[in-house]
């Protein structure tokens, strides 16, 4: 049977990861990002080994965005693909050629009958929030598309948003090397980078991308 939820367990390496992701998801939503609904819940609600209860107090409950309810109350599946699947990229290379993967995602959304200007805005809003949060885990597997009609793609709600940059000072300098490299790119993100990406994808409304970045930053500052 199709389940309605995903339970994300705590991390022994980053012990506040559940709270980090829960807060990051709430902050992203406050800034206007379409996020999957998440809740930080007591770990005692789960049927897991006793040792987990001894070490941790909370887990992250994620409401699945690729489900729907039938008339009879049963749960049905909506087809979902991680971006790596959608573009045929080896999942082990999820951090490789990220710019090319993002360009491919924009091109998918551009030609899809199920996508529209809202997805275009959401794409640039989400990258802006990633930059503000220091979410250096925004690799190709952490972007997804759903197919409401089983054929045409639209951007899935955001998931797995975490402020990874928050951990840089607490680990060895050579730890999280890939994330640190992406952080250098995220620190440069702004209207110019959004315009360049929109132009590469063939969007004529590149000034709209600039406006989305600018407005998202203003909303995030107020929130």
């Amino acid at each position: 049977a199709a389940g309605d939820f995903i339970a994300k367990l705590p991390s022994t390496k980053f012990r506040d990861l559940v709270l980090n992701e829960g807060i990051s998801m709430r902050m992203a939503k406050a800034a206007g990002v379409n996020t999957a609904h998440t809740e930080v819940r007591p770990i005692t609600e789960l049927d897991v080994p006793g040792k987990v209860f001894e070490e941790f107090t909370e887990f992250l409950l994620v409401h699945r965005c690729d489900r729907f309810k039938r008339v009879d109350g049963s749960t049905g599946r909506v087809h979902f693909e991680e971006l790596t699947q959608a573009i045929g990229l080896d999942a082990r290379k999820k951090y490789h050629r990220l710019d090319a993967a993002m360009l491919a995602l924009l091109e998918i959304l551009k030609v899809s009958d199920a996508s529209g200007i809202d997805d275009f805005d959401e794409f640039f809003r989400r990258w802006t929030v990633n930059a503000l949060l220091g979410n250096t885990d925004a690799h190709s597997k952490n972007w997804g598309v759903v197919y409401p009609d089983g054929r045409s793609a639209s951007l899935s709600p955001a998931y797995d948003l975490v402020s990874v940059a928050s951990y840089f000072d607490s680990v060895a300098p050579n730890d999280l090397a890939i994330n640190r490299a992406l952080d250098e790119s995220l620190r440069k993100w702004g209207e110019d980078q959004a315009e360049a990406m929109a132009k590469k994808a063939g969007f004529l409304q590149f000034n709209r991308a600039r406006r989305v970045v600018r407005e998202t930053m203003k909303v995030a500052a107020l929130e």
Side-chain angles (χ1 to χ4, degrees), residues 97-116:
R97 300 187 64 205
L98 192 55
D99 286 348
M102 292 300 106
L103 183 60
L105 175 57
L106 279 174
E107 290 173 344
I108 289 171
L109 299 176
K110 181 181 176 182
V111 301
S112 173
D113 291 335
S115 183

Side-chain angles (χ1 to χ4, degrees), residues 34-109:
N34 176 26
T35 64
H37 180 61
T38 58
E39 302 174 53
V40 176
R41 304 290 300 175
I43 204 159
T44 51
E45 294 181 353
L46 296 179
D47 181 14
V48 292
K51 186 177 181 181
V52 178
F53 290 135
E54 295 170 8
E55 292 195 33
F56 302 102
T57 59
E58 296 159 324
F59 76 99
L60 191 72
L61 181 72
V62 183
H63 296 242
R64 298 195 64 134
C65 62
D66 54 348
R67 297 290 187 262
F68 70 94
K69 288 297 182 183
R70 299 189 180 97
V71 176
D72 63 4
S74 63
T75 300
R77 295 178 172 88
V78 178
H79 185 53
F80 167 91
E81 289 181 320
E82 296 169 345
L83 182 57
T84 51
Q85 296 171 299
I87 64 176
L89 178 67
D90 186 336
R92 293 170 297 182
K93 298 180 179 179
K94 59 188 180 182
Y95 284 105
H96 293 198
R97 300 187 64 205
L98 192 55
D99 286 348
M102 292 300 106
L103 183 60
L105 175 57
L106 279 174
E107 290 173 344
I108 289 171
L109 299 176

